[in-house]
Amino acid sequence: PGVKLEFSAGTKLKVNKGASLYAVGTSRGPIIFTAREPTPGYWDGILFYTSNSIYNKLDYVTVEYGIKNIDTWSYDNQPARINVKNSILRFASEEALYIEDISVKIDSFENNILTKNGKSISLPFHLVGKLGVGNSFEENIDSRIYVRPSTLLKSQTWYNYSNTSYFFSGTSSYDVNAALTLKSGTKLIFNTGSGLRVTKGGSLTAIGTSSKPILFTGQEESPGYWKGINFYTSGSLKNKLDHVVIEYGIKNIDTWSYAATPARLNIKNSILRYASDVAVYIEDPSVKIDLFKNNIITLNEKTISIPFNLVGKIGLGNNFTGNLLDNNQIFIRSTTANKPQTWLDLGVDYFFESSSTYTVNSGFSIKKGAKLIFSTSSELKIGDKGYLNAVGTESDPIIFTGQEPTPGYWSGIQFYTSGSQSNLLDHVEVKYGGGGGSDSEGNITSWCYAANPAKFTIKNSLISDSSSFGVNKESASCDITLSNIIYRNNELGNTNF
């Protein structure tokens, strides 16, 4: 304690394999490593060069005026080891601390002050979680924690240090192959082309608060500047985003999923904005959405793109307004719905963007006020194991319509051998369909066999602007009940029985 080491220009203290540096001072008697002249970069600093000794300890030391105040050089079979706490690293011309390789062993790094350096610290992604509590990274020329590309292989927690952020300096994806937990208030900044990819075996838990949200952003405030967060076959229940802000990605949240290795999401109370493509992209029907509610999706090119079978996972309290070109719809891609779902009136339209058939093989319920818009040639098909229950009100009807107000623009609704008692359309409007050819010759078409008769009821509804019939009954075995229907502008007639 109290020893002062002064270094002349260009010198370096190099701790080699088989050697160690043990410098343990006290709060009243710190050990000082300094330069003969108080000039940043005057000497080279301390280099732990493949020294793996547990006696490498710096406690209550001050290291100042180096190029890199503390540097490391390490290999898998010859790792360097450091233990730094209660210390001051200052006036480095480059980094105060440079961790060269993922093989470096960091026993402890806590309660240190890194100040007035060119940069505070640079280390591989895999080792960021070794930064402990109580560190300060303020008043450097660049106080960000530079995170270089590597793969995260061990579970870790990242802390929120005041007045600094984690900067992903690489230009490619950073793979998370273990549990990554972020504390509230943490700020992550991404370089162009970089992204966070949560793979099988990995998870991302980012739980902020309303006053201390967790921020994922680009180095520049430009839509599409970075890739975004990709949940890539990560099916962990630990995947939770709560009170986070994600902005300026290509896809702010992306997924990649297979039936055998599904991705999993849980997102609430969050803001997704300024995506150049889409705020949320659900890539495959196998994605598991545990929760999606109370989120704000705004100022993006598109809001969300999702397979048909998962739309019912979009919960209450989401706001999809204020996106570019008024693209506030929920974009729905064609799949088969094999599990029951209920769609809510979310304040924006549901847009069936695929020019193909959307098949329902389960319960499908739609709440009052919802509006479903169909692209050209698209069709809603209720299979023999499914049903459609759409009950609106006089003031809040449910609307099924084409993207353009043109008769025959979409194929319409087809009840294909669905004989469920739950098939009910009440206070609905079905418009601009009937363009599907022989399989769908009406806004609403029944397709029946004696062994599998379709059965449905329509009442208190408007059926209009079909390029063929309003309601088309394909077979005598169909069981159709119609009451209090308004027909308008159906080219081949209101009904065909």
Side-chain angles (χ1 to χ4, degrees):
V3 170
K4 182 177 182 180
L5 294 84
E6 187 178 280
F7 291 82
S8 60
T11 57
K12 176 188 299 183
L13 191 61
K14 183 179 177 185
V15 186
N16 288 315
K17 180 180 179 181
S20 63
L21 175 60
Y22 184 87
V24 178
T26 65
S27 58
R28 294 187 176 182
I31 298 168
I32 299 175
F33 297 81
T34 190
R36 188 166 189 178
E37 296 182 10
T39 302
Y42 189 81
W43 67 299
D44 286 0
I46 303 171
L47 172 63
F48 290 91
Y49 189 92
T50 69
S51 170
N52 189 25
S53 175
I54 61 173
Y55 296 107
N56 285 335
K57 290 185 178 181
L58 305 181
D59 191 359
Y60 288 108
V61 304
T62 297
V63 187
E64 57 188 11
Y65 298 115
I67 296 175
K68 294 180 174 69
N69 280 340
I70 297 177
D71 197 0
T72 58
W73 194 269
S74 187
Y75 303 97
D76 289 341
N77 60 346
Q78 298 182 61
R81 182 186 293 267
I82 62 170
N83 185 326
V84 185
K85 57 184 180 180
N86 305 310
S87 295
I88 300 173
L89 310 179
R90 62 189 182 191
F91 297 117
S93 61
E94 295 182 8
E95 292 90 351
L97 173 65
Y98 188 86
I99 305 298
E100 177 264 342
D101 188 78
I102 64 171
S103 61
V104 173
K105 298 181 182 297
I106 304 175
D107 295 330
S108 179
F109 192 88
E110 59 185 29
N111 297 322
N112 301 299
I113 298 172
L114 286 71
T115 186
K116 302 187 186 310
N117 304 284
K119 295 179 181 178
S120 61
I121 185 171
S122 176
L123 75 172
F125 181 40
H126 172 63
L127 294 175
V128 177
K130 292 293 185 178
L131 303 179
V133 298
N135 296 301
S136 172
F137 300 90
E138 300 181 25
E139 297 186 20
N140 299 280
I141 295 174
D142 189 344
S143 289
R144 296 175 297 179
I145 298 168
Y146 273 66
V147 182
R148 304 195 313 277
S150 69
T151 298
L152 191 150
L153 299 170
K154 292 183 179 180
S155 299
Q156 54 187 274
T157 298
W158 291 16
Y159 295 98
N160 172 29
Y161 303 110
S162 61
N163 298 319
T164 192
S165 58
Y166 297 92
F167 174 50
F168 290 71
S169 58
T171 55
S172 59
S173 291
Y174 289 68
D175 283 353
V176 179
N177 287 354
L180 174 59
T181 301
L182 307 177
K183 292 294 187 181
S184 62
T186 304
K187 184 177 181 180
L188 293 78
I189 300 176
F190 290 82
N191 199 3
T192 182
S194 66
L196 201 62
R197 185 165 59 183
V198 187
T199 66
K200 182 182 178 182
S203 64
L204 176 61
T205 303
I207 300 178
T209 66
S210 57
S211 60
K212 290 186 177 180
I214 296 170
L215 176 64
F216 301 81
T217 189
Q219 185 181 17
E220 295 182 9
E221 295 179 352
S222 176
Y225 189 81
W226 65 296
K227 292 179 180 177
I229 303 172
N230 185 355
F231 290 90
Y232 188 94
T233 69
S234 170
S236 175
L237 289 167
K238 295 180 180 178
N239 287 334
K240 293 183 178 181
L241 305 180
D242 187 0
H243 286 103
V244 305
V245 176
I246 309 175
E247 58 186 15
Y248 300 114
I250 297 174
K251 296 180 175 74
N252 281 339
I253 295 177
D254 196 2
T255 57
W256 194 268
S257 187
Y258 302 96
T261 53
R264 184 182 290 269
L265 293 176
N266 185 321
I267 308 170
K268 61 181 181 178
N269 306 312
S270 296
I271 300 173
L272 311 176
R273 61 192 181 193
Y274 297 115
S276 64
D277 188 340
V278 59
V280 181
Y281 187 83
I282 306 300
E283 175 265 342
D284 189 80
S286 63
V287 174
K288 298 182 182 298
I289 303 175
D290 294 326
L291 202 65
F292 192 90
K293 70 175 186 178
N294 297 329
N295 301 299
I296 298 173
I297 296 92
T298 189
L299 300 169
N300 306 284
E301 182 69 23
K302 293 182 180 179
T303 59
I304 183 170
S305 178
I306 187 169
F308 177 45
N309 68 305
L310 293 175
V311 178
K313 295 292 185 178
I314 302 174
L316 293 169
N318 296 296
N319 186 329
F320 296 93
T321 61
N323 295 279
L324 304 185
L325 303 175
D326 292 327
N327 283 337
N328 296 320
Q329 304 104 321
I330 295 168
F331 289 79
I332 305 167
R333 304 192 311 280
S334 177
T335 58
T336 297
N338 290 317
K339 292 184 178 180
Q341 57 179 317
T342 298
W343 290 15
L344 308 172
D345 176 11
L346 300 174
V348 295
D349 302 335
Y350 295 96
F351 176 48
F352 291 68
E353 64 175 330
S354 303
S355 296
S356 57
T357 298
Y358 292 74
T359 302
V360 178
N361 281 339
S362 58
F364 182 25
S365 299
I366 305 172
K367 294 297 185 182
K368 65 179 183 179
K371 185 176 182 180
L372 290 70
I373 299 179
F374 291 81
S375 62
T376 181
S377 301
S378 61
E379 176 185 57
L380 185 62
K381 181 178 180 180
I382 315 303
D384 61 341
K385 296 179 181 179
Y387 68 77
L388 173 61
N389 188 274
V391 179
T393 65
E394 185 175 356
S395 58
D396 285 313
I398 297 169
I399 298 174
F400 301 81
T401 188
Q403 186 182 14
E404 296 181 9
T406 303
Y409 189 82
W410 65 295
S411 296
I413 302 171
Q414 181 181 170
F415 289 91
Y416 188 87
T417 69
S418 171
S420 173
Q421 297 282 352
S422 298
N423 282 327
L424 172 62
L425 305 182
D426 186 2
H427 286 101
V428 305
E429 297 178 11
V430 186
K431 301 184 287 188
Y432 301 111
S438 60
D439 282 348
S440 184
E441 295 180 349
N443 275 353
I444 300 170
T445 299
S446 59
W447 193 265
C448 313
Y449 300 97
N452 292 298
K455 181 176 182 178
F456 59 87
T457 296
I458 309 173
K459 59 183 180 178
N460 308 313
S461 296
L462 169 67
I463 300 174
S464 70
D465 300 291
S466 169
S467 63
S468 52
F469 297 99
V471 180
N472 185 33
K473 183 178 180 180
E474 287 288 346
S475 167
S477 60
C478 298
D479 184 356
I480 301 173
T481 301
L482 304 175
S483 64
N484 196 27
I485 307 297
I486 297 174
Y487 299 96
R488 185 182 299 148
N489 300 327
N490 299 299
E491 292 184 6
L492 299 184
N494 295 329
T495 60
N496 179 32
F497 285 1

